[in-house]
Amino acid sequence: MNEKRETNPWRRFTTYVARTRREKREWREYKARVKALPSDYRMVMNRIDKFIWNAGGGLDVQTWRVLCDICELFEEAAAAGRPVLSVTGDDVAAFSLNMLEAAQARTWTRQKATQLNSEVHRILRSEGQGGSGDEGQGGDNE
């Protein structure tokens, strides 16, 4: 994060309160959007919501953004009259995990993990050591 750390305790507190209020408002808006979905989409969205919070490791802004993206996708598909499983496919869990993984792949931590793996494998190859053969594990290599 590129935010400068505020040293004034009062300002830090008021910034925290403002951010918390904004996040609560956004959460309520998201829940209202889910409630407005057709019943089949709403049922699937609620199950995906629960699944992603558990699979994603809990409360996280990135996880919440994934849910918003899925909700938006569902809104568009429902408006077009598509069945919900034409959006998710038969494996709703795989769809959910793929959406979560795609979002996590864009995070700074994931980029750094990929960079680490690439560097280690490149150095080992240049030294003729080759590695363990698991070069495809953990992200894009190079």
Side-chain angles (χ1 to χ4, degrees):
M1 291 184 221
N2 293 333
E3 295 178 22
K4 289 184 178 180
R5 184 153 177 101
E6 178 61 54
T7 56
N8 180 326
W10 179 249
R11 186 165 294 176
R12 283 183 20 208
F13 174 73
T14 57
T15 300
Y16 170 78
V17 169
R19 185 179 67 240
T20 301
R21 291 176 117 185
R22 184 187 72 244
E23 289 171 354
K24 278 184 156 184
R25 184 186 72 246
E26 290 171 353
W27 179 254
R28 284 189 214 107
E29 290 169 359
Y30 159 73
K31 290 308 240 179
R33 289 172 60 198
V34 170
K35 192 173 184 177
L37 289 169
S39 62
D40 54 341
Y41 278 90
R42 185 174 52 248
M43 180 273 297
V44 173
M45 187 70 226
N46 284 329
R47 300 299 187 291
I48 288 173
D49 187 308
K50 185 175 181 179
F51 177 77
I52 283 184
W53 283 116
N54 290 315
L59 188 60
D60 176 277
V61 172
Q62 191 70 30
T63 303
W64 181 74
R65 297 280 181 232
V66 170
L67 292 170
C68 289
D69 290 346
I70 294 172
C71 186
E72 183 176 336
L73 188 63
F74 279 11
E75 288 168 333
E76 292 170 3
R82 294 176 52 200
V84 67
L85 290 181
S86 74
V87 178
T88 64
D90 289 332
D91 192 343
V92 179
F95 167 82
S96 303
L97 290 173
N98 287 338
M99 293 290 288
L100 189 59
E101 288 172 11
Q104 289 172 340
R106 296 186 302 255
T107 66
W108 183 84
T109 304
R110 179 59 63 99
Q111 291 169 358
K112 289 300 176 187
T114 299
Q115 181 182 6
L116 169 65
N117 289 335
S118 295
E119 289 173 359
V120 167
H121 289 289
R122 181 181 47 78
I123 291 167
L124 288 174
R125 278 194 307 271
S126 71
E127 294 176 354
Q129 296 179 16
S132 66
D134 291 337
E135 295 177 29
Q137 301 294 321
D140 297 332
N141 297 308
E142 310 213 35

